[in-house]
Amino acid sequence: MTSTPDPAARRCAVKVADEQALAGVAAKLVAALPPEAFVALEGDLGAGKTTFVKAIAAAAGIDPVEVVSPTFGLIHIHEAAAPAGGSPLRLVHADMYRLTGEAELHELGWEDALLRREGGRTWAFVEWPGRIARALPAERLDVAIGIDSETGRTLAFTSRGPAYDGVIAAVSPRAT
């Protein structure tokens, strides 16, 4: 007997009214992400991609003040100590807007940034992933951020592999 995955279970949309509501979604996401995670962030300029990463950082125990747009630095790495009973986290926040293609990744030290430490977690959040489309891992979480109002956003989550199906279940409005 074979089963066909339910496409509805592999995607969901979450409306957030403001940053406070975003914090709740971020906490669910942090609890559900696999130890090695790749999250591709799509959205227009000003949609809130960096604000989203700040919320993730805060939920993971990283001071969100340290998280700034990597538009000029391209890659920022944030480290979090291991929580009680957990493992340390390396949060890689990258902005590919200024890149012209995947060939430039090597010059940036991309491979080193994504290295997972033994016993640790590495999460990559990449803004403007379309600039490096051929270098994106097939298995990842796509998050498209749509602007609904001055403070309101719609976060559309799509699982691109079984490791992220649980993330969809965790953040889905149906899960609450």
Side-chain angles (χ1 to χ4, degrees):
M1 180 173 150
T2 60
S3 63
T4 305
D6 177 6
R10 300 200 65 178
R11 49 179 88 213
C12 74
V14 179
K15 290 192 175 286
V16 294
D18 52 30
E19 286 186 43
Q20 184 176 354
L22 179 60
V25 174
K28 291 177 183 179
L29 191 83
V30 164
L33 280 173
E36 288 188 63
F38 193 99
V39 181
L41 299 171
E42 292 281 355
D44 291 335
L45 287 171
K49 295 177 294 293
T50 296
T51 300
F52 180 80
V53 176
K54 282 178 172 281
I56 295 294
I62 297 170
D63 184 353
V65 172
E66 295 179 17
V67 178
V68 296
S69 176
T71 300
F72 297 104
L74 302 180
I75 299 174
H76 293 172
I77 297 175
H78 307 280
E79 306 278 350
S87 56
L89 170 66
R90 168 180 281 186
L91 190 149
V92 179
H93 182 200
D95 186 328
M96 301 300 162
Y97 185 76
R98 294 184 14 211
L99 267 59
T100 58
E102 298 84 1
E104 295 177 76
L105 287 174
H106 181 71
E107 296 170 27
L108 295 175
W110 183 241
E111 296 86 6
D112 291 337
L114 296 179
L115 283 179
R116 181 176 178 205
R117 295 173 299 176
E118 187 66 34
R121 299 169 292 160
T122 301
W123 296 344
F125 289 81
V126 178
E127 299 184 25
W128 303 99
R131 304 278 186 169
I132 60 164
R134 290 184 300 211
L136 293 176
E139 189 162 331
R140 65 182 186 272
L141 180 68
D142 291 345
V143 181
I145 304 174
I147 301 171
D148 299 332
S149 68
E150 187 175 325
T151 60
R153 301 292 186 265
T154 296
L155 307 172
F157 295 92
T158 303
S159 169
R160 302 277 182 211
Y164 298 97
D165 291 348
V167 175
I168 300 301
V171 299
S172 174
R174 295 183 300 262
T176 56

